[in-house]
Amino acid sequence: MNNARLPDTYRRMTAADLDTVEAIERRMHPSPWTRGNFSDSIGAGYHCWIAERDGGLAAYAVVAVGAEEAHLLNLTVAPQWQRQGIGAAFTAFLAKLARDYGAGRMFLEVRPSNGAARALYARAGFAEIGLRRGYYPATEGREDAVVMEMAL
């Protein structure tokens, strides 16, 4: 991560971000969240955050915190900002946020085929603890999810 270009700032996601978030989401994921999923997450009081770099949206995330646990529901780095340390820095920010809100551990699901994300999460301190069969929609049928956990 030499010469890493970390986010300039983190801020809460707002409805004004949803056009950009939705466009990135559609580009980056085979089964993207809808605009409604993000809007509902904001409305439900989930921790919806934006990482900004050079005045633009570099990454976004949604975290649910409750019952002393956190669930990282979505973390996406825009394509032009990938492999520059933003995902690692954002994951650390989200872990601290969850800890500050009383979570003792954080969970997530990731596609087995998403090697880059699995490596990012492993470097952040997540361990693979299980498998959810048929969790994700796929072009042909369903894809499993690797369940990961990190102590906070």
Side-chain angles (χ1 to χ4, degrees):
M1 200 172 13
N2 293 345
N3 300 319
R5 300 191 65 210
L6 302 180
D8 294 324
T9 189
Y10 300 108
R11 63 174 177 77
R12 290 198 175 268
M13 184 186 297
T14 69
D17 297 309
L18 294 182
D19 286 343
T20 304
V21 167
E22 183 180 29
I24 294 168
E25 182 77 3
R26 286 184 183 198
R27 182 172 178 195
M28 298 303 300
H29 297 287
S31 300
W33 278 29
T34 66
R35 180 187 190 93
N37 293 138
F38 288 104
S39 182
D40 289 349
S41 294
I42 292 169
Y46 291 171
H47 297 276
C48 304
W49 285 85
I50 300 291
E52 291 182 317
R53 181 75 186 124
D54 293 344
L57 192 154
Y60 55 86
V62 177
V63 178
V65 179
E68 300 177 5
E69 295 181 354
H71 195 152
L72 180 57
L73 300 170
N74 189 319
L75 187 153
T76 302
V77 177
Q80 68 271 29
W81 293 112
Q82 291 189 352
R83 292 174 179 72
Q84 296 187 42
I86 288 175
F90 203 14
T91 302
F93 168 82
L94 297 166
K96 181 185 181 316
L97 177 86
R99 192 172 41 253
D100 289 349
Y101 277 86
R105 57 190 177 161
M106 181 181 280
F107 296 92
L108 62 84
E109 290 85 17
V110 61
R111 289 176 185 269
S113 60
N114 191 343
R118 289 173 70 186
L120 167 74
Y121 296 135
R123 284 191 308 273
F126 282 89
E128 295 184 6
I129 61 166
L131 197 67
R132 295 191 198 281
R133 300 237 179 254
Y135 186 79
Y136 290 109
T139 39
E140 293 186 23
R142 311 275 306 169
E143 185 176 359
D144 296 341
V146 174
V147 181
M148 301 182 82
E149 176 188 20
M150 176 174 65
L152 299 174

